[in-house]
Structures are given as C-alpha cells and as structure tokens.
Amino acid sequence: MSRGNALEALIAGLHGNPTDKADWQAVIALANHTLLTPDLFSSLARAGQIHQLPHDVREYLRFVHGCNRERNLRLRAQLREAVAVLNRSGIVPLLLKGAVPLFLSSAGRVPSRMMSDLDLAVDAGEETVATACLEGLGYRDVAGARGMARQKDAGMLELRSSRANCFAPPKLVRRDGLRVKIPPAQSRAMHWMVHDLLKEGDYWRGRIDLRHLHDLARLAESDDLDWTSLQRSMSDRTARNALDTQLLALHHFFGTRIPAKSAQRRIVRFQHWRRIFTATHPIIGAPLRLAGNLAWGTWRFSRAYGLARCRPSDLLRRVARTLFNPRAKI
C-alpha cells in the first residue's frame, strides 16, 4: 500500500470511518510512527466502528490503547505529585501541551493521546525553588536531554520558565486540592504551531507532525479559536506564512474551518502542496525534503542559535540527528 493510501486510511479512521479494503499493516505502521495508534482505536470505538475491523487488527489496537491508558494513568499520578509539591512551596505551575488534558481528566479516565513527557512552566523567579522541590522528590537532570526524570516513572518532566503572550492570561484551576494555571486555547494553539513550524523547522523542511495537527483539530472543535487573531500575533511575514500553511493542513486532513484568506498567498499554497506531496510520496519527494533541510539549516545558522559555539563533532552529530531522525513526522 502506498504511503498516500495509508495516510488517507489513517485519517479516515481518526474521523471514525474505517476505509474498506485498507491495508491495515501499512495503516498501523503509519499510526505507530506518528504516535496516533491509541487515538485511532478511541476514534473508531467512539464512532461504534471498531468491530468493522479485522479481528487481529482490532485486538492489536485494543492492546496498544490499553497499554497507553495505563501509561497515561501513571503520568497523571506523576503530574499530580509534582503539582502538589510545588503548591506546598507556594508555586502554581502553568501546564503546557499534553499536561493540560491529563490534569483535567477525571479519575480513572485519561486522554488517549500518546505522551512521553510532562511540560510545566513557572515564573522566572520561581525556577530555583521549583527545581529544588522536584529534586526533593528524586528527580535528576537527564544528560543530553531537556528535562528531569526518575527511574520509576513513565516519562520525563520538563520544567521551563513561563513567557508572556498577547492573549488572555492563564486561568487558575483548582481540582482535588491542587492549583494549576491553564493557558487559554489561543496560547496553546500558538505554542504547538510555533514549536513545530519554526522551532522544529517543519515549515522549511516540509514535514508534518500529524499528532500535533490532530491535537489542534480537537482543540478547534472544543474551543472557539480565533485564527485571525493568531495570524495577527505572528512576529513577521515568515511566521504568518507558516501559520497559514498549517491552517491549510488542518483543513485538508480534518476539515477544520479556517479563514478564506489563509490560502490566498502563492507561497502558502506552494508550501502546503510541498508538505502534502512529500508526505504522500516520500521517495520521489526526497529532493524537496533535502532542499527544505538545507534551507532550514541556512536559516538556523544565520541566526546563530548557539551553533557557532558547538565543537565540530557536536555540530556534526546535531546535523545528522536533524536530517535523519524523523521524530514521528511525515
């Protein structure tokens, strides 16, 4: 089965509509690569379509979903423990990305989203105290990675400094005696977009993080996102082009309603076409992907993101990791 057909069948499954005569081995391989296997099962189960799948496919998806559920329950307990120790020191952390729905989930029920870490932010003046609190729980910095971990846990915990944005302030949420701050939906959407398209370079490299795109689609369904205000908040023309390219992908894969003007600029339409083409034709689209990697590398060097201070061996390792590690992207 071609990558394009497998991608089409996976998207249909995430909509709760299993495709007839799908090559489920190829679909599952793509779902595993993009970290969407548990979401595929839960989407089909909610739609009452899970029994339409072949028995072995259904049982495999059920098994992965069950394992991920147990992992997320452990992550949820880990998150609550970290929030509790921070609260005792007067710190109310800001939850980011997957930590938000994980904290808000009811007891015994957790999101099906596959996660590898927990992201929290505190005010700059609270970082030292917050780090000491987590070290008191046994957390230690992980060599070669951003984050802290304990051997007994299901995932790492990444503590960072919170940054202001142009949207509404975070909302204070109290649950079971714990206090956290939840960013508004606009901020959460912008965080995902800026992280993937600009920080990870997906806009230049022609890549798509399908799991994050699925997250954005679900966020748009549950909250009234103002895409126009997001566009206005972008720092420059490149950032606005990147956002509109992501909006076109949202509409293409998940039918999300977006402003009509998002598709007006030629560069945006070309970037959207390039991402879809390389996602569905990874072999013949390889030259486009290589050109994008080179463009992103040039952009990074032009802004000296700490690369000039790297030793040659470290720089080569980072280049190789950047070019050859797909990181669950398509």
Side-chain angles (χ1 to χ4, degrees):
M1 191 178 191
S2 71
R3 166 66 75 84
N5 290 337
L7 180 57
E8 182 180 344
L10 174 58
I11 295 298
L14 292 172
H15 282 286
N17 301 311
T19 303
D20 294 337
K21 300 179 180 180
D23 181 348
W24 283 105
Q25 184 174 354
V27 175
I28 287 175
L30 183 58
N32 288 341
H33 174 72
T34 55
L35 308 180
L36 282 167
T37 308
D39 282 318
L40 177 60
F41 176 87
S42 61
S43 296
L44 291 168
R46 282 197 305 270
Q49 298 295 315
I50 193 66
H51 294 289
Q52 300 296 325
L53 274 57
H55 175 77
D56 57 339
V57 173
R58 182 171 68 246
E59 291 308 306
Y60 175 79
L61 294 179
R62 190 188 308 277
F63 171 75
V64 174
H65 180 271
C67 291
N68 186 66
R69 178 182 181 277
E70 292 303 316
R71 175 187 175 84
N72 283 353
L73 284 171
R74 291 178 60 193
L75 284 170
R76 183 176 182 271
Q78 182 182 346
L79 175 62
R80 292 174 62 83
E81 179 192 35
V83 170
V85 73
L86 293 174
N87 284 174
R88 286 197 291 271
S89 294
I91 299 174
V92 181
L94 177 73
L95 304 188
L96 303 172
K97 298 193 290 188
V100 174
L102 197 62
F103 181 84
L104 296 178
S105 61
S106 58
R109 298 187 64 182
V110 290
S112 58
R113 185 183 193 270
M114 189 175 284
M115 294 182 288
S116 60
D117 54 18
L118 300 167
D119 293 272
L120 288 77
V122 297
D123 293 338
E126 298 175 331
E127 279 190 275
T128 301
V129 175
T131 300
C133 290
L134 296 174
E135 289 175 344
L137 292 177
Y139 284 95
R140 297 293 181 267
D141 288 332
V142 178
R146 293 194 313 169
M148 311 173 73
R150 300 178 298 187
Q151 190 172 4
K152 67 177 182 178
D153 289 327
M156 290 199 308
L157 190 152
E158 184 175 334
L159 183 69
R160 64 183 71 178
S161 177
S162 60
R163 298 177 182 177
N165 59 65
C166 58
F167 301 116
K171 179 182 179 182
L172 177 65
V173 175
R174 302 174 186 268
R175 181 155 297 189
D176 300 327
L178 301 176
R179 293 171 296 142
V180 300
K181 290 181 285 189
I182 303 294
Q186 299 285 112
S187 298
R188 290 157 62 189
M190 184 170 71
H191 180 87
W192 265 317
M193 289 187 170
V194 170
H195 177 273
D196 288 348
L197 298 169
L198 303 180
K199 185 177 180 181
E200 292 280 335
D202 290 354
Y203 174 67
W204 290 274
R205 302 168 71 185
R207 306 187 311 177
I208 299 173
D209 190 317
L210 198 60
R211 181 180 59 137
H212 285 173
L213 204 64
H214 188 233
D215 291 331
L216 282 170
R218 290 191 296 187
L219 187 63
E221 290 175 1
S222 60
D223 294 85
D224 187 18
L225 292 179
D226 185 352
W227 299 121
T228 302
S229 67
L230 268 176
Q231 290 167 328
R232 288 197 299 265
S233 70
M234 293 294 105
S235 58
D236 53 36
R237 180 180 293 274
T238 297
R240 287 190 291 273
N241 289 341
L243 183 142
D244 283 342
T245 301
Q246 190 78 324
L247 290 183
L248 284 183
L250 267 175
H251 179 72
H252 177 88
F253 287 115
F254 299 107
T256 303
R257 295 181 60 184
I258 62 174
K261 65 179 182 180
S262 297
Q264 290 179 353
R265 295 190 298 282
R266 291 182 179 179
I267 183 62
V268 172
R269 295 198 301 270
F270 169 74
Q271 292 283 42
H272 172 67
W273 170 85
R274 183 171 70 99
R275 296 173 83 202
I276 300 300
F277 183 82
T278 53
T280 54
H281 302 85
I283 296 178
I284 61 176
L288 284 173
R289 186 66 56 87
L290 177 60
N293 282 330
L294 293 174
W296 184 59
T298 302
W299 186 83
R300 292 259 298 181
F301 271 106
S302 70
R303 283 156 177 76
Y305 273 51
L307 299 178
R309 297 188 297 272
C310 291
R311 294 179 300 178
S313 59
D314 292 336
L315 182 59
L316 287 175
R317 267 197 301 270
R318 292 182 66 173
V319 169
R321 187 169 61 245
T322 295
L323 293 178
F324 302 112
N325 182 6
R327 290 190 177 184
K329 311 274 186 172
I330 58 172

